[in-house]
């Protein structure tokens, strides 16, 4: 079944009926209605092709091909798996830099397929949990150390100010004796 995002139950039933089809229906009218009702379909500018927004797949204006693609496994997989929100696993699991259908785990170094169940299994694994805990402990120690260092620096600054206040007495200049130079008589 095709998911319709917040479009209402009546429109969802209409879309399901358009995808299943009826015998003896007008192909062009049904195709136009399907494109209007489905959020992921659009007509190309020249009107000769139907384009699927999420996958970029283009098909000729033939109702049987459009229905076949929308009911097919490839489209369902693309809609369900690759449109899933994997941002919830960041910063540890991010999109792979070169392989667009995969994710990369910074903690374990594992390359994961963009399959929601496999990602959840990886996040729930003992190895991932242990590495995550160790990383959080390390970050906490680092933050604690930075806080101690900042506190020490603040204490040093206060001590320097106290020393400057003590030394700020006006200085008195001593008269220095200038040695007399010998003068010669004429």
């Amino acid at each position: 079944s095709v998911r319709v995002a917040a479009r209402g139950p009546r429109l969802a039933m209409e879309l399901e009926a358009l995808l299943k089809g009826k015998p003896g229906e007008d192909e062009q009218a049904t195709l136009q209605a399907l494109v209007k009702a489905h959020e992921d379909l659009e007509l190309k500018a020249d009107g000769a092709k139907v384009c699927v927004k999420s996958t970029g797949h283009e098909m000729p204006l033939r109702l049987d091909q459009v229905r076949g693609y929308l009911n097919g496994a490839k489209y369902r997989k693309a809609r369900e798996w690759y449109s899933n929100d994997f941002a919830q696993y960041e910063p540890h699991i991010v999109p792979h830099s070169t392989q667009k259908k995969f994710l990369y785990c910074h903690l374990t170094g594992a390359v994961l397929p963009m399959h929601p169940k496999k990602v959840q299994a990886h996040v729930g694994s003992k190895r991932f949990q242990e590495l995550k805990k160790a990383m959080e402990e390390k970050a906490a120690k680092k933050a604690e150390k930075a806080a101690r260092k900042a506190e020490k620096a603040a204490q040093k600054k206060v001590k320097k100010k106290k020393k400057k206040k003590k030394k700020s007495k006006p200085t008195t200049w001593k008269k220095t004796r200038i040695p007399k130079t010998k003068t010669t008589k004429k």
Side-chain angles (χ1 to χ4, degrees):
S1 77
V2 177
R3 279 192 240 159
V4 179
R7 291 235 181 160
R10 194 175 113 229
L11 193 58
M13 290 189 317
E14 182 182 318
L15 188 59
E16 290 292 328
L18 287 171
L19 285 171
K20 290 178 182 172
K22 300 172 192 167
E25 62 189 351
D26 181 24
E27 187 174 320
Q28 286 301 320
T30 306
L31 184 60
Q32 294 296 330
L34 180 63
V35 170
K36 281 184 181 178
H38 201 286
E39 64 187 18
D40 205 20
L41 294 178
E42 67 181 359
L43 288 174
K44 290 295 271 184
D46 58 358
K49 291 186 179 186
V50 176
C51 182
V52 181
K53 294 176 189 175
S54 62
T55 61
H57 186 75
E58 293 182 3
M59 300 165 275
L61 278 174
R62 295 200 359 227
L63 186 60
D64 59 331
Q65 282 191 352
V66 174
R67 278 186 183 150
Y69 183 74
L70 292 177
N71 292 326
K74 185 176 181 181
Y75 178 70
R76 271 189 278 123
K77 179 180 175 183
R79 289 284 289 179
E80 292 172 8
W81 288 7
Y82 302 130
S83 65
N84 197 0
D85 184 26
F86 292 105
Q88 62 186 350
Y89 302 113
E90 288 181 359
H92 306 300
I93 297 177
V94 295
H96 197 278
S97 58
T98 56
Q99 299 173 342
K100 69 176 189 171
K101 292 185 178 183
F102 290 89
L103 300 169
Y104 180 74
C105 178
H106 283 292
L107 292 178
T108 61
V111 177
L112 306 167
M114 279 188 163
H115 189 287
K117 289 181 181 176
K118 290 190 179 188
V119 175
Q120 288 172 349
H122 179 75
V123 170
S125 70
K126 187 176 178 181
R127 179 177 172 217
F128 181 87
Q129 294 298 329
E130 287 175 355
L131 289 170
K132 185 177 177 183
K133 185 178 177 183
M135 186 177 186
E136 287 171 353
E137 288 174 357
K138 188 176 179 182
K141 283 182 182 178
K142 192 174 183 180
E144 188 179 310
K145 185 177 178 181
R148 277 187 278 146
K149 189 175 181 180
E151 187 179 317
K152 225 178 194 180
Q155 287 175 352
K156 262 187 175 178
K157 200 173 186 181
V158 169
K159 283 182 182 179
K160 279 186 177 181
K161 281 186 178 181
K162 285 182 181 178
K163 281 185 179 181
K164 281 185 179 181
K165 285 183 181 179
K166 287 180 183 178
K167 286 185 177 181
S168 64
K169 293 180 183 177
T171 56
T172 55
W173 295 95
K174 292 181 182 178
K175 292 184 178 177
T176 55
R177 189 170 167 214
I178 300 174
K180 291 186 179 178
T181 58
K182 288 185 181 179
T183 55
T184 55
K185 291 185 182 180
K186 284 187 179 180

